[in-house]
Amino acid sequence: MIFKFMRTLFHAKGLNADLAIISLVYIKRLLKCADINICPSNWKRIIFGAVLLAIKVGSNVAVCNKDLCKLFEKMTVDHM
């Protein structure tokens, strides 16, 4: 499920693999600093947020939060 979720994100915006690595670094830092675990109720938000941050910091691709949320049913900007 996680792979399919990330593949959809990366394919839709034409993102490079380096952003996946940067996202993983952000996720590891979050889990360490916030002392939380990834579970079925939060994994989408954590991954989506890390990828979105990696895109905005390390990419020349213009991204609108609303456009990315439209890729997934039940995902809204407010939900994020």
Side-chain angles (χ1 to χ4, degrees), residues 6 9-11 13 15 23 29-31 39-40 42 44-45 54 57-58 61 64-68 70-71 74-75 80:
M6 290 191 72
L9 265 175
F10 278 71
H11 181 71
K13 293 305 279 182
L15 303 175
S23 300
R29 287 180 184 171
L30 173 70
L31 297 179
C39 63
N42 69 6
K44 282 186 181 178
R45 285 189 225 163
V57 170
V61 177
C64 178
N65 297 357
K66 186 188 276 187
D67 292 339
L68 281 180
K70 287 179 184 177
L71 296 173
K74 299 181 184 177
M75 176 103 36
M80 283 303 301

Side-chain angles (χ1 to χ4, degrees), residues 10-25:
F10 278 71
H11 181 71
K13 293 305 279 182
L15 303 175
N16 295 324
D18 60 333
L19 291 178
I21 295 167
I22 294 167
S23 300
L24 178 61
V25 170

